[in-house]
Amino acid sequence: MKFSHDPKLKRVPGLSEQVTDFLVSEIEMGSYKSGEVLPSEAKLSARFEVSRTVIREALARLKYDGLIESRQGSKCRVVESTAKRVFRLDKLEDRDSNEIGYLYEFRAILESESAFLAAKRRSKKDIARLDRCVEALNQATQKGIDGTTENVNFHMAVVDASGNPFLSDFMHFLSGKIWALVQADRDHSKQKGLPPEVQQEHVAIFEAISTGNQNKAREAVLTHLKNAAERRGINILNFDRFFC
Amino acid sequence: MKFSHDPKLKRVPGLSEQVTDFLVSEIEMGSYKSGEVLPSEAKLSARFEVSRTVIREALARLKYDGLIESRQGSKCRVVESTAKRVFRLDKLEDRDSNEIGYLYEFRAILESESAFLAAKRRSKKDIARLDRCVEALNQATQKGIDGTTENVNFHMAVVDASGNPFLSDFMHFLSGKIWALVQADRDHSKQKGLPPEVQQEHVAIFEAISTGNQNKAREAVLTHLKNAAERRGINILNFDRFFC
DNA sequence: GTTATAATGTTGTATGTCAAGTTAAATGTC
DNA sequence: GACATTTAACTTGACATACAACATTATAAC
């Protein structure tokens, strides 16, 4: 049996990765506070019993994230946490159901407001793209195939139609994480194909956006995500805010 | 004159940083598409005319961001953009006023919904913290000092009171970027101290959250951010959506 | 005490080496 | 010729050493 081309092969974490994670947790735990200096590369090399190369690759990662700062000649300094250059969303799979509920709430806020804005700003190209997405979802529903890709495409078409590049970029990032999360426990559910009621929800969103009904677009998204969370057994928290 | 301890010294970008930026832009431009392999470290080393050490440190950064993937023995692969591990918000200072307007809109969505949730979920500790923040802003207003720190603290107390850790974490990240942006052109305005009307807006937000009036909390934040954007001459886009 | 100088420490970069793993070519087999 | 096996070449991971550029600290001079 050959594994040469299988991309799902377990990637063994290298030494620099391990050192990186360790240093990150130490900084986040407060072992090294803002403004303080880290031990020299030589000291870290001795402490972790790895070569300086490994240490440097780990530190390069931290520098890129803006966690530490360095200048030739003097030791690395830990920068204030407000100056972080990236937003990271790791270890999502081993968070409890409660936290995932918060993630869906977060997503619901962004996507519903995106739809609200999209109903106002959507261009003809946006509507055409949304139309294609709905059609693709239709075919997926009829054929009974998975349709996850088409689903994601539709949701991304909505946020892109909002016209806000930050909203758009961030939701692309977030949906990647959520998608990976969904795929992770798709083995459990074993459900094939999209239920027809899901597609009805999609159509409702599309109609509201294309006709320019902002409030209806927002509520259609909220309804859809509320149902989606329920279908996945996620502990939703505050979705009923607009329905009381 | 000595600069030894001055942290504002211009940090000269190292070779690995330059290589990193170049490779990132090449991947984003599409020179290396998803699933394709990068040239070997030796080839890259020859191409950029730097040592393999530099290349490895640059690649370590890309791996950490989830832009590429590597396994011992085979070349690095570019991963699908949906699998990116981080959300980055760089080069914010050289975006035009229009885009900054979108940034404020993005922020307004998150902060107004945070306030909406905070008005429902705020604990006694949250209210106490908000109270301390308002008091600190009061004193800053009276003393006529800058008050930027107190301002940021208040806004973060609001999002923390929302109880949603994702919302909270992300807004901490985002406010760091916005704060840096504000500080960048604070030299232009030369305004000292907070105007009294700003503090009134803060108090309105606090009152709405502490009394549990969700809708009022959300609109108070929107009003505040709308005015804040106007005061800073930012081209706001859609803030009047709730006022028509 | 202050200032100039030397010594030391630290990061940035380059080079070489080897091990472990993958890929591609050569070879053998039917 | 098609297929499987072995071999060779290539690639990443990690280590060690060396040196330049810069910063810090200790020392010496005044």
Side-chain angles (χ1 to χ4, degrees):
Chain A
M1 190 166 181
K2 299 186 82 173
F3 287 101
S4 321
H5 285 286
D6 193 343
K8 285 183 284 296
L9 261 180
K10 177 77 76 178
R11 236 180 42 76
V12 40
L15 290 180
S16 61
E17 267 183 87
Q18 297 176 43
V19 172
T20 304
D21 291 343
F22 197 91
L23 288 174
V24 167
S25 66
E26 274 202 319
I27 290 175
E28 286 180 347
M29 292 296 182
S31 304
Y32 302 111
K33 295 165 194 166
S34 278
E36 287 184 5
V37 294
L38 254 53
S40 71
E41 293 174 356
K43 297 268 175 63
L44 290 172
S45 172
R47 177 179 160 200
F48 291 112
E49 293 177 298
V50 295
S51 72
R52 207 188 136 201
T53 308
V54 172
I55 298 293
R56 280 194 61 81
E57 283 176 16
L59 293 178
R61 290 170 156 97
L62 302 195
K63 291 173 202 169
Y64 194 43
D65 271 18
L67 243 64
I68 64 174
E69 212 172 29
S70 71
R71 288 209 317 278
Q72 188 171 356
S74 63
K75 300 180 184 177
C76 290
R77 290 195 124 75
V78 180
V79 307
E80 301 93 48
S81 57
T82 54
K84 255 190 324 191
R85 297 175 60 187
V86 304
F87 178 71
R88 216 168 256 278
L89 214 53
D90 281 336
K91 309 166 267 144
L92 215 57
E93 54 282 347
D94 48 47
R95 301 217 193 190
D96 57 44
S97 162
N98 219 6
E99 281 188 295
I100 300 303
Y102 282 119
L103 180 64
Y104 268 72
E105 179 179 87
F106 188 34
R107 176 193 174 184
I109 290 171
L110 293 164
E111 281 203 41
S112 61
E113 294 298 322
S114 295
F116 182 89
L117 294 172
K120 189 177 196 177
R121 303 192 186 136
R122 76 276 183 270
S123 66
K124 285 182 180 174
K125 283 180 81 173
D126 291 324
I127 294 179
R129 181 180 164 199
L130 283 166
D131 195 46
R132 284 197 304 275
C133 287
V134 170
E135 182 54 33
L137 279 165
N138 262 334
Q139 295 195 354
T141 306
Q142 288 172 9
K143 291 179 183 170
I145 59 175
D146 181 67
T148 310
T149 309
E150 289 79 6
N151 208 331
V152 173
N153 285 341
F154 174 74
H155 283 261
M156 289 307 100
V158 171
V159 300
D160 287 346
S162 77
N164 187 318
F166 298 99
L167 200 45
S168 198
D169 284 354
F170 184 70
M171 271 308 300
H172 275 270
F173 162 71
L174 195 63
S175 91
K177 310 298 286 184
I178 293 176
W179 191 42
L181 204 63
V182 170
Q183 280 190 317
D185 55 52
R186 203 175 50 173
D187 304 332
H188 300 260
S189 58
K190 276 291 179 198
Q191 60 156 5
K192 297 213 176 207
L194 292 163
E197 65 263 28
V198 176
Q199 182 58 4
Q200 284 179 359
E201 293 167 13
H202 287 145
V203 171
I205 295 169
F206 170 71
E207 294 287 345
I209 290 177
S210 60
T211 58
N213 192 330
Q214 293 191 267
N215 287 310
K216 196 175 177 184
R218 173 165 49 197
E219 293 196 14
V221 167
L222 286 172
T223 304
H224 175 53
L225 291 181
K226 180 190 176 187
N227 293 341
E230 274 179 2
R231 279 188 286 268
R232 279 171 198 154
I234 303 231
N235 181 20
I236 53 177
L237 291 151
N238 206 50
F239 281 74
D240 55 343
R241 54 186 170 169
F242 293 103
F243 304 98
C244 55
Chain B
M1 188 165 183
K2 299 186 78 175
F3 287 100
S4 321
H5 286 286
D6 193 342
K8 284 184 285 294
L9 263 179
K10 178 76 75 178
R11 236 180 44 75
V12 41
L15 291 179
S16 61
E17 269 182 85
Q18 298 176 43
V19 172
T20 304
D21 290 344
F22 197 90
L23 287 175
V24 167
S25 67
E26 274 203 320
I27 290 175
E28 286 180 347
M29 293 295 181
S31 305
Y32 302 111
K33 294 164 195 166
S34 279
E36 287 183 7
V37 295
L38 255 52
S40 71
E41 293 174 357
K43 296 267 175 60
L44 290 172
S45 172
R47 176 179 161 198
F48 291 113
E49 291 177 302
V50 295
S51 72
R52 206 189 137 201
T53 309
V54 171
I55 298 293
R56 281 194 60 82
E57 284 175 17
L59 294 179
R61 290 170 156 97
L62 301 195
K63 291 173 201 168
Y64 194 43
D65 271 17
L67 242 66
I68 64 173
E69 212 173 29
S70 71
R71 288 208 319 276
Q72 188 170 355
S74 65
K75 298 180 184 178
C76 291
R77 290 195 125 75
V78 180
V79 306
E80 302 93 48
S81 58
T82 54
K84 254 191 324 192
R85 295 175 61 188
V86 304
F87 178 69
R88 217 168 257 276
L89 215 52
D90 281 336
K91 309 167 262 138
L92 216 56
E93 54 281 347
D94 48 47
R95 301 218 193 188
D96 58 44
S97 163
N98 217 8
E99 281 188 296
I100 301 303
Y102 283 118
L103 181 63
Y104 268 72
E105 178 179 87
F106 188 34
R107 176 194 175 184
I109 290 171
L110 293 165
E111 281 202 42
S112 61
E113 294 298 323
S114 295
F116 182 89
L117 294 172
K120 188 176 195 178
R121 301 190 186 140
R122 75 276 184 270
S123 66
K124 287 183 179 175
K125 283 179 79 171
D126 289 325
I127 293 180
R129 182 182 164 197
L130 283 165
D131 194 45
R132 284 197 304 275
C133 287
V134 170
E135 182 54 32
L137 279 165
N138 263 333
Q139 294 195 355
T141 308
Q142 287 171 10
K143 291 180 183 171
I145 59 176
D146 180 67
T148 310
T149 310
E150 290 79 5
N151 208 330
V152 173
N153 285 342
F154 174 74
H155 283 261
M156 288 307 101
V158 171
V159 299
D160 287 346
S162 77
N164 188 318
F166 298 99
L167 200 45
S168 197
D169 284 354
F170 183 70
M171 271 309 300
H172 275 271
F173 162 71
L174 194 63
S175 90
K177 310 298 287 184
I178 293 177
W179 191 42
L181 204 63
V182 170
Q183 280 190 318
D185 55 51
R186 202 174 51 172
D187 305 332
H188 300 260
S189 59
K190 275 291 178 198
Q191 61 157 2
K192 298 213 177 208
L194 292 163
E197 65 264 28
V198 175
Q199 182 59 4
Q200 283 179 0
E201 294 168 12
H202 287 144
V203 171
I205 295 169
F206 170 70
E207 294 287 344
I209 291 176
S210 59
T211 58
N213 193 330
Q214 293 191 266
N215 287 310
K216 197 175 176 184
R218 172 166 50 199
E219 292 197 15
V221 166
L222 285 172
T223 305
H224 175 53
L225 290 181
K226 179 190 177 189
N227 292 339
E230 274 179 1
R231 279 189 287 268
R232 281 172 196 152
I234 305 231
N235 180 21
I236 52 177
L237 291 152
N238 205 49
F239 281 75
D240 56 343
R241 53 185 170 170
F242 293 104
F243 304 99
C244 54

